[in-house]
Amino acid sequence: MLDPAVQDELSHCLHCGMCLQVCPTYHIYGTEMDSPRGRIALMRAVATGRLKVDELPPSFTRHIELCLGCRACEAACPSAVKYGHLIKAAQTTVREQTRESWLARGVKWLGFRKLMPFRERLKVLASALWLYENSGLQTLFRSLRFMPESLRQMERLLPPISREYFDYAVPAPAIGPKRGKVAFFIGCVQEAFLARANRATIRVLQRNGYEVHFPVGQTCCGAAQLHLGDLDFARTLAMKNIDAFLDRGFEAVISNAGGCGATLKEEYEGLFSADPAAAARAARFSALVQDFSEFMLDHLHEPPGGVVKARAVYSDSCHLRHVQKIKKQPRQLLRMIPGLQLAELSRPDLCCGSAGVYNIVHPQSANAILEMKMEDVRAAKADLLVVSNTGCHMQLIAGAQQPGPPIRVAHIAEVMEESYAKEGRV
Amino acid sequence: MTRFADDLTSLRDLFATDQLILDPVELITYEIDAGVDRGCPGVVLFPADTQDVVRAVAWCRDHGVPLVARGSGTGLSGGAVSIAGGLILEFSRMKEIEQIDEISLRARFQPGVIAQYFADTVAARGLHYPPDPASARSASLGGTVAENAGGPHCLKYGVTANYVMGMEIVLPDAQCLTLGGPALDYPGVDLAALLTGNEGSLAMITKTTVRLLAKPPAVMTMMAAFDSVDLACSAVSAIIADGIVPATLELMDRKMMEILEDYTHAGLPVEAGAALIIEVDGYPAGLQPQIDRITSIIARFKAFGLRCTQDEEERAAIWLARKSVAGALARLAPASLAVDPTVPRSQLGEALRRMAKICEERKVPTYYVSHAGDGNLHPQILIADPNDEKLMDHIRETGRLIMQEAVRLGGTISGEHGVGVEKRELMNFIYRPDELAAMRDIKAVFDPEERFNPGKMFPTTAPEPDLIPQRRVLPAVQAIADQIRTAAESSPPGRVAIVGNAAPDRPAPAAEICVSSRALDGVLTFVPDDMYVVAGAGTPLASLRGFLEAENRILPLVSPWEETTLGGLVAANLNGPLRARYGGIKDLLLCMEVILPDGRVIEAGRPLVKNVAGYDLPRLFVGSFGCLGMITSVTFKVLAPPKARITRSIPVADPAEAVRVGLALYRQTINASAILWIKEKGALPGKLICTFEGLPEDIQVEEDLLRQISSDNHLAAIDPVKGQDGSSIWADWVRSCCDAGPLVKYGVAPGDLLGLIGSQPDKMTTNAALIDVANGCLYLGDDDHACLAQNAVERNGYAIDIGRTPPDPNRIFKDRSGTRLLTALKQRWDPSGCFNPDGPLL
């Protein structure tokens, strides 16, 4: 926060307060220090030396940590303050100072370095958890009252696992006349735990005449590592991905998770700021990346024709809406589906509380935000909740389990594929 | 401070932990609002309800702790900054819309409701709450009420004060009061009107009742470019002079457009000297004719590059450019001082020129966007380094010079942002010591210990002599003032009675001094460009209307009596059916000259459509029945006459049926200037009278609607009424009724009319009756009224006698909880109680 670039960015905030109402934590707490403007005021206090950077008070740390990083405030900011950069700087400073327990460090090391970058390991874990879900163990666990809350929270977020894994060994051919060649960014957690979303994405691309490739060297996007301050490792992952996709004649690299896409598009170049040549390659790679709905709306050669009878709401992924600025496309695609009635949430710009690992680290706040989101969904009388990001997907499945009328949660590609399938197309 | 820390323990006992912020690090985030002034509170408290507010205020009272109300902290004048330490009462958790009454078009809300959310919520029900400050997406309604917020749409629709009807407040002594309510024109002084814009210095507003409008069904936006700011300003005046009232008229100069275009790429005409964003609303059929008319008017000022749209997306693009001012400026400098002087519309071009000169000479980069329709300028002064105190002083001084220039041109220091800390010293520029003293008296009555928002609004320094020229008081006014002063200073003090414009020597009790406004008859100033007229208080309304008619202007006020004077009308606050269409006396009154009971002559308010500097003194004298001072002149805004007017009559025997039909019309029309049911004494059939006035196309739509509703209700044929309209029919009826005997006016929310007339249906059949549906009024020629009056009061309404003479205080029925404040104010100005002692002070 003492970095001149950060200080300069801090000075652009005019504290007009236009960010307040779009901030999920301000929504649940109603307090300035849990708003973007308030957090900037706290950062300024550090930048001006009012708070000492080497002995940050606990209340400072707490309010900085409570930010979900959804960046809804950036979209609302009339002064275009790059809040995402600011909060990342502040959270990095905070994390440099907090001495985590060996257990927490161990879990993070295992998760972010040893699991997420390895799709196959994740699938093994997913298979184990599938067994857990389907063997009665889950029922047993949920009946045990003495389990620690943090574990319960993680368990709550576990979606029903599908093991319909796609075979990525060979490219998926275009169905009908071939119109182009695209690459698919497989990702990590979504592939392991929510396999249907990826299957459907690939299928919809095929149906529209695209040959879909799966470059072998690709790995996790590095968003989680990046946001938790493990920049070196994030850089390694980024490099792998750039090498895997760049200069291979792909018309586009399709990502179907808002958070991953935002990282691929917006963060990679900055990771290589010290190396102009690498940064230039990163920029060229980022220019290739397109979100699934962004690409589909422009390349929808075969509109879906089967009737999907549902009253749906689309829940924006924050990183899709606020960072990638994609909000019209998924809605337009959904409106094309016969029989599907698209309602709008009263606060579509509000985060669902997932925010990477936020819902595991700050369960109380995340659950309050989720509750707010589900209230909005129920008020819209929806029976189908359409998502476009892995974290939201899992969080909202957990939300949909709350008492009330049943709500199905599905990735937008799954809904489109359902329509194609119902039409009787193979 | 130690003491304060000790006290906090007792505060902790009173409130839950999550209602208090005491951590010094967390308190840093409450040091500032959206302006530039700072101050650190000792504690922030989040009340959950009115009871919490009462307890917090009582705690502050008992411990001598200053208290500042805060909503979302989006104000621009430091209003919510705690410059004296103490306690911030943060209303963000009191965010319930308690009621939206879709029949009466009223809503009641708690202060923490977000303005945009409220506007959207009522819009979803086809209703319209017009105040739309730029901060609406975040601003709390409590803040908009306390600061009397405006916005681009107040040109046509007025500011927050024009919508506030009632409040629940907590006074500094921790008393909770209800003022006003869902009925219009409660007898007596409208304290809720005075409290709108009080900047948290008089009371904590815990609930507010506002009126809503039917939503205009369509809107059209147009952008036009001009060679120069002057031409654009002239075009603005010409549009308004023509009688078109656009919903907005926003002006941008070239400098501003260049940086906006860089930022938003909205296709602004950057090659032009200036551009106007003009928006008209109404029925779809009426939009194009308005735009055509505007186009032909602005062609005279060489307008070019016209861009016109009804498309929501394109409209959003145009407005995005306008609303991106702060963002675009933030790219040029880390901070800016946004000030909001307002000048008479005709002076806008001159004001911009003079301000540009000041800023150029002082080398201060400044950009302008203006609500041109109401002369509200928004110079944005860039601040290269907000931490550079020397620079800040230079910037503040520049702001001061700009304001001084605005005041010289007949303007004010604040059109919508409020005074707060930022502009308190500038109050000396605009108000004379006597006027400031009158405002301080109000503060002293409400908050004698200066506990609420201390240090705000009032200047801390004495004014430099001759900063404002002495008020030129007419000899006739001075003569009356001298008489009043002599009476007040003699021992024992002489009893003063105001006798309207009757002869001052009319028979009177021995010790009584009668002052008359007879010598104050006539139009003093008429300013067609700025659309206002100043007239002596003794001028009969009828003669002013005659004068304006010759000038092709109207003042939408009516009195049943030929001889009613302007002073009398204001003091009695008598509004007719036109009120629903054009607002009441308090909405049309810009300012006035008053002789206070001690003989001081003050100018209350300024002749500007937007002025939020200080308390709204003119409102204090509306409905005061001469108890607080003698009105000597009044300044009203005037309007262009409506292009078309039709009046229709339908026989309806049953008053309840008439009210039902009337309410349906009220809910769905935007041009109705009278919706009345009227019946003579005896068992004669009544009739429904409706007048619509406005654009011919809009009138046609509403006439069709009337036909539709009456056929749905199987009513008899509709007859056109020639030579009369709803107002004149009302006036004739009231006059003849008063001649026959006592006439009582009952006021309730329009939706309560059914219940009110249903409580004593036989009264409707035997007596002469008139129901003004849109204004929620029932007039009954009836002497025995206690029962019905009680019923009205139970519905938060009132009853009062209407007649040529002031009403008998004992026959007035209303909640009188605010009276003690008015009595205390009168006590300050008239300690002996000899000034107009018989008038009802309510």
Side-chain angles (χ1 to χ4, degrees):
Chain A
M1 273 169 291
L2 303 176
D3 174 0
V6 170
Q7 297 216 355
D8 182 58
E9 196 56 44
L10 282 173
S11 74
H12 285 104
C13 171
L14 305 174
H15 37 90
C16 66
M18 296 306 266
C19 52
L20 297 176
Q21 289 304 314
V22 299
C23 175
T25 50
Y26 184 79
H27 241 266
I28 54 173
Y29 297 113
T31 45
E32 279 285 337
M33 56 277 181
D34 296 305
S35 77
R37 168 172 78 171
R39 291 191 182 102
I40 286 177
L42 292 175
M43 293 180 219
R44 267 188 179 149
V46 176
T48 55
R50 225 172 128 184
L51 298 178
K52 290 206 182 68
V53 74
D54 43 7
E55 42 186 291
L56 292 172
S59 46
F60 177 91
T61 306
R62 199 170 92 79
H63 298 299
I64 294 295
E65 289 275 10
L66 268 179
C67 173
L68 298 125
C70 71
R71 293 166 70 181
C73 49
E74 277 189 25
C77 178
S79 309
V81 173
K82 298 191 181 76
Y83 177 83
H85 288 226
L86 294 175
I87 193 68
K88 202 163 74 189
Q91 288 183 340
T92 307
T93 312
V94 162
R95 275 162 204 156
E96 277 164 8
Q97 291 204 5
T98 34
R99 184 104 195 111
E100 284 178 311
S101 69
W102 63 267
L103 181 70
R105 274 181 293 154
V107 169
K108 275 188 187 166
W109 175 82
L110 191 71
F112 296 137
R113 288 212 164 194
K114 295 296 159 196
L115 269 174
M116 285 172 74
F118 304 98
R119 213 163 52 231
E120 294 313 315
R121 293 185 197 169
L122 280 171
K123 284 186 187 170
V124 172
L125 175 65
S127 299
L129 289 167
W130 175 86
L131 202 64
Y132 162 79
E133 285 177 346
N134 292 283
S135 64
L137 273 172
Q138 183 165 45
T139 326
L140 179 69
F141 177 92
R142 290 190 172 178
S143 65
L144 297 178
R145 298 255 155 252
F146 57 84
M147 286 293 167
E149 186 46 41
S150 56
L151 208 57
R152 280 182 179 281
Q153 173 71 9
M154 281 204 243
E155 200 278 336
R156 260 199 292 274
L157 293 168
L158 188 64
I161 292 164
S162 142
R163 292 162 73 222
E164 299 161 39
Y165 295 123
F166 193 84
D167 178 10
Y168 293 113
V170 289
I175 298 174
K178 180 178 160 186
R179 294 196 171 88
K181 184 173 121 179
V182 296
F184 178 58
F185 180 81
I186 301 168
C188 52
V189 175
Q190 176 162 277
E191 170 63 16
F193 291 83
L194 297 159
R196 285 194 195 109
N198 280 357
R199 277 191 89 88
T201 303
I202 297 159
R203 193 79 179 154
V204 174
L205 285 165
Q206 285 177 282
R207 287 183 189 281
N208 282 281
Y210 289 90
E211 186 175 285
V212 189
H213 289 250
F214 314 102
V216 183
Q218 64 173 303
T219 179
C220 162
C221 69
Q225 294 82 352
L226 185 71
H227 294 145
L228 289 170
D230 194 351
L231 297 192
D232 288 334
F233 196 67
R235 210 170 283 128
T236 314
L237 295 176
M239 192 61 92
K240 279 191 182 166
N241 283 325
I242 294 168
D243 288 341
F245 288 100
L246 197 59
D247 299 328
R248 287 171 200 264
F250 299 130
E251 188 177 333
V253 176
I254 308 295
S255 156
N256 65 354
C260 306
T263 304
L264 300 176
K265 280 179 173 181
E266 306 286 334
E267 305 272 12
Y268 274 20
E269 190 182 352
L271 275 174
F272 299 99
S273 51
D275 178 354
R281 289 189 76 223
R284 283 200 297 121
F285 165 76
S286 294
L288 271 183
V289 180
Q290 287 203 47
D291 181 68
F292 169 73
S293 55
E294 180 184 21
F295 183 83
M296 277 330 302
L297 191 65
D298 290 342
H299 302 87
L300 194 69
H301 305 288
E302 302 286 336
V307 173
V308 177
K309 260 200 98 52
R311 183 173 164 86
V313 284
Y314 172 72
S315 173
D316 286 273
S317 143
C318 294
H319 284 87
L320 199 55
R321 183 181 173 112
H322 305 309
V323 182
Q324 298 191 51
K325 317 271 182 230
I326 292 173
K327 56 180 178 187
K328 274 195 303 200
Q329 295 89 329
R331 290 176 168 82
Q332 273 171 276
L333 288 172
L334 287 168
R335 278 199 198 95
M336 288 182 196
I337 296 175
L340 187 143
Q341 186 193 359
L342 185 68
E344 190 59 271
L345 295 174
S346 72
R347 294 299 311 270
D349 52 343
L350 221 55
C351 181
C352 65
S354 156
V357 293
Y358 187 92
N359 45 4
I360 297 166
V361 186
H362 303 287
Q364 202 188 358
S365 166
N367 290 344
I369 294 168
L370 175 62
E371 182 47 45
M372 216 159 56
K373 181 58 102 185
M374 292 315 295
E375 242 169 61
D376 202 355
V377 171
R378 284 191 288 265
K381 300 198 167 50
D383 51 27
L384 173 62
L385 182 49
V386 185
V387 296
S388 52
N389 180 45
T390 319
C392 316
H393 202 156
M394 289 167 71
Q395 172 86 339
L396 292 169
I397 286 178
Q401 285 168 7
Q402 291 169 2
I407 302 166
R408 184 159 69 98
V409 184
H411 189 277
I412 180 166
E414 292 179 68
V415 182
M416 288 177 76
E417 175 55 23
E418 189 180 331
S419 169
Y420 285 115
K422 286 209 172 143
E423 203 182 354
R425 297 195 201 176
V426 276
Chain B
M1 200 62 210
T2 332
R3 169 90 213 285
F4 187 63
D6 293 344
D7 290 344
L8 287 177
T9 318
S10 60
L11 191 64
R12 277 205 192 93
D13 294 340
L14 284 172
F15 295 95
T17 319
D18 74 346
Q19 284 185 289
L20 294 168
I21 296 178
L22 296 153
D23 180 314
V25 174
E26 297 183 334
L27 288 173
I28 290 175
T29 63
Y30 284 89
E31 278 181 2
I32 197 162
D33 57 9
V36 293
D37 299 286
R38 282 182 178 277
C40 194
V43 55
V44 176
L45 168 59
F46 295 79
D49 53 23
T50 304
Q51 270 319 302
D52 276 356
V53 177
V54 170
R55 287 192 297 154
V57 170
W59 182 85
C60 288
R61 175 197 65 203
D62 296 344
H63 294 80
V65 172
L67 185 151
V68 178
R70 186 180 190 278
S72 300
T74 55
L76 287 161
S77 54
V81 176
S82 176
I83 51 170
L87 183 142
I88 280 185
L89 206 54
E90 160 80 53
F91 282 102
S92 66
R93 290 188 200 161
M94 283 176 70
K95 54 176 178 185
E96 194 187 334
I97 299 175
E98 296 189 341
Q99 186 196 30
I100 298 175
D101 180 341
E102 294 185 55
I103 296 167
S104 300
L105 308 197
R106 305 283 188 262
R108 190 175 63 239
F109 49 73
Q110 292 183 340
V113 177
I114 301 303
Q116 188 68 53
Y117 171 73
F118 178 68
D120 291 346
T121 305
V122 300
R125 304 183 186 199
L127 300 173
H128 187 35
Y129 182 66
D132 61 338
S135 56
R137 272 195 300 157
S138 284
S140 69
L141 282 172
T144 65
V145 172
E147 298 285 330
N148 191 10
H153 284 84
C154 45
L155 168 62
K156 178 168 183 175
Y157 291 103
V159 295
T160 305
N162 302 115
Y163 294 88
V164 171
M165 301 186 57
M167 290 174 178
E168 178 191 80
I169 58 166
V170 179
L171 291 166
D173 61 7
Q175 270 217 40
C176 182
L177 293 185
T178 305
L179 304 171
L184 289 166
D185 303 321
Y186 289 88
V189 176
D190 183 354
L191 279 175
L194 179 72
L195 286 171
T196 307
N198 85 82
E199 299 195 13
S201 68
L202 300 178
M204 296 294 118
I205 302 168
T206 48
K207 281 173 196 177
T208 308
T209 302
V210 295
R211 68 190 178 96
L212 306 169
L213 305 177
K215 193 170 164 230
V219 54
M220 205 179 229
T221 307
M222 172 183 197
M223 192 152 70
F226 295 85
D227 285 329
S228 69
V229 169
D230 273 336
L231 280 170
C233 289
S234 306
V236 167
S237 291
I239 292 168
I240 289 170
D242 190 68
I244 298 170
V245 190
T248 63
L249 265 174
E250 298 284 296
L251 174 78
M252 293 183 280
D253 68 355
R254 174 188 292 177
K255 229 168 85 179
M256 191 75 235
M257 282 193 287
E258 277 171 357
I259 63 159
L260 281 176
E261 187 58 25
D262 270 359
Y263 187 68
T264 62
H265 312 290
L268 300 177
V270 288
E271 69 289 353
L276 290 176
I277 303 175
I278 306 167
E279 203 159 271
V280 292
D281 61 13
Y283 292 99
L287 297 184
Q288 197 57 50
Q290 285 187 76
I291 290 286
D292 291 347
R293 182 72 198 151
I294 291 172
T295 307
S296 79
I297 294 168
I298 62 178
R300 301 208 305 264
F301 304 91
K302 305 197 190 75
F304 60 96
L306 302 189
R307 203 169 131 195
C308 188
T309 180
Q310 256 185 291
D311 177 70
E312 195 49 45
E313 212 163 303
E314 202 180 339
R315 186 175 167 242
I318 293 177
W319 278 108
L320 176 73
R322 166 63 184 86
K323 288 182 177 170
S324 300
V325 169
L329 292 176
R331 304 217 312 176
L332 305 180
S336 58
L337 182 67
V339 284
D340 65 323
T342 302
V343 296
R345 181 172 39 238
S346 59
Q347 302 296 319
L348 190 63
E350 180 63 22
L352 286 167
R353 217 173 2 258
R354 290 196 197 177
M355 288 174 190
K357 187 156 170 280
I358 293 171
C359 295
E360 240 159 71
E361 280 170 10
R362 299 178 58 83
K363 300 197 169 36
V364 175
T366 307
Y367 291 81
Y368 304 89
V369 280
S370 310
H371 306 315
D374 31 41
N376 192 183
L377 295 88
H378 283 284
Q380 315 261 339
I381 309 174
L382 298 191
I383 305 173
D385 177 7
N387 298 317
D388 178 347
E389 263 315 305
K390 229 177 108 197
L391 174 69
M392 284 308 291
D393 285 344
H394 184 70
I395 301 268
R396 285 196 192 100
E397 177 62 15
T398 309
R400 210 176 72 95
L401 292 171
I402 284 179
M403 296 300 196
Q404 198 162 10
E405 215 50 61
V407 175
R408 275 195 196 120
L409 288 168
T412 180
I413 56 172
S414 183
E416 41 190 30
H417 297 175
V419 177
V421 194
E422 188 206 4
K423 300 192 204 76
R424 60 184 176 186
E425 307 305 336
L426 305 180
M427 288 286 276
N428 280 326
F429 286 178
I430 172 161
Y431 296 120
R432 298 178 187 85
D434 273 348
E435 292 151 9
L436 283 173
M439 291 188 196
R440 285 188 208 271
D441 284 332
I442 295 173
K443 171 79 174 166
V445 164
F446 279 80
D447 184 18
E449 289 167 47
E450 304 207 3
R451 194 169 300 119
F452 280 12
N453 220 359
K456 305 286 176 69
M457 195 192 275
F458 291 104
T460 54
T461 52
E464 298 156 37
D466 304 323
L467 195 59
I468 313 175
Q470 278 295 314
R471 179 166 176 76
R472 212 167 47 82
V473 177
L474 293 175
V477 174
Q478 196 55 58
I480 301 171
D482 291 343
Q483 252 186 308
I484 291 175
R485 185 188 302 270
T486 312
E489 287 172 357
S490 57
S491 166
R495 285 162 61 91
V496 178
I498 307 173
V499 295
N501 72 346
D505 52 357
R506 70 166 200 183
E512 200 172 27
I513 297 152
C514 289
V515 288
S516 155
S517 61
R518 172 171 275 194
L520 312 175
D521 180 355
V523 171
L524 301 170
T525 322
F526 172 57
V527 188
D529 287 346
D530 294 318
M531 306 278 279
Y532 71 83
V533 65
V534 189
T539 315
L541 174 65
S543 78
L544 178 61
R545 283 173 63 110
F547 170 87
L548 291 172
E549 197 173 331
E551 300 283 348
N552 195 32
R553 289 289 173 263
I554 60 159
L555 173 63
L557 295 174
V558 187
S559 167
W561 301 283
E562 191 72 15
E563 72 273 17
T564 301
T565 62
L566 297 176
L569 188 74
V570 172
N573 192 25
L574 179 61
N575 288 295
L578 286 170
R579 194 196 197 297
R581 173 79 169 86
Y582 296 103
I585 290 166
K586 75 178 174 94
D587 303 301
L588 296 162
L589 184 72
L590 299 177
C591 63
M592 56 169 58
E593 183 189 64
V594 190
I595 307 173
L596 296 183
D598 56 12
R600 278 182 291 166
V601 183
I602 65 163
E603 185 186 5
R606 291 295 180 265
L608 295 162
V609 284
K610 256 182 173 181
N611 176 22
V612 297
Y615 302 135
D616 203 345
L617 285 179
R619 305 268 159 113
L620 196 54
F621 299 93
V622 178
S624 65
F625 292 108
C627 296
L628 295 173
M630 177 176 172
I631 302 166
T632 52
S633 83
V634 287
T635 304
F636 281 112
K637 72 173 169 188
V638 297
L639 310 172
K643 304 263 186 248
R645 175 186 293 131
I646 58 160
T647 301
R648 298 290 178 261
S649 163
I650 309 170
V652 183
D654 176 9
E657 172 148 45
V659 170
R660 272 192 295 272
V661 170
L663 286 173
L665 280 170
Y666 168 60
R667 172 72 173 75
Q668 294 173 62
T669 55
I670 50 182
N671 292 292
S673 63
I675 304 172
L676 310 173
W677 181 76
I678 187 166
K679 188 188 82 69
E680 306 301 333
K681 197 174 165 76
L684 295 162
K687 57 193 174 189
L688 184 68
I689 306 276
C690 298
T691 300
F692 303 100
E693 53 190 73
L695 295 169
E697 297 81 6
D698 289 6
I699 300 301
Q700 188 56 53
V701 176
E702 300 198 338
E703 191 190 3
D704 293 345
L705 177 73
L706 173 67
R707 194 162 295 136
Q708 180 65 44
I709 291 178
S710 60
S711 91
D712 290 350
N713 288 277
H714 312 292
L715 299 182
I718 302 176
D719 303 318
V721 178
K722 292 269 182 278
Q724 278 214 301
D725 59 25
S727 289
S728 65
I729 292 169
W730 169 84
D732 291 348
W733 185 93
V734 169
R735 190 173 54 248
S736 71
C737 255
C738 284
D739 290 345
L743 175 65
V744 187
K745 174 187 177 187
Y746 305 85
V748 290
D752 273 327
L753 282 169
L754 280 174
L756 184 71
I757 60 175
S759 70
Q760 289 193 298
D762 50 316
K763 288 219 174 211
M764 306 298 135
T765 48
T766 49
N767 295 302
L770 187 151
I771 303 172
D772 178 348
V773 179
N775 290 306
C777 296
L778 163 68
Y779 298 82
L780 265 187
D782 178 16
D783 200 20
D784 167 32
H785 70 306
C787 206
L788 201 55
Q790 204 53 50
N791 193 298
V793 172
E794 280 160 19
R795 296 169 193 278
N796 298 318
Y798 62 85
I800 183 173
D801 283 347
I802 299 290
R804 283 170 207 260
T805 51
D808 176 355
N810 299 318
R811 283 177 53 93
I812 296 174
F813 287 73
K814 74 167 249 188
D815 174 80
R816 299 186 187 219
S817 45
T819 306
R820 116 182 130 82
L821 292 163
L822 289 164
T823 312
L825 185 63
K826 183 170 168 69
Q827 176 72 25
R828 283 185 88 85
W829 288 348
D830 177 24
S832 62
C834 287
F835 188 83
N836 215 21
D838 302 326
L841 182 63
L842 304 155

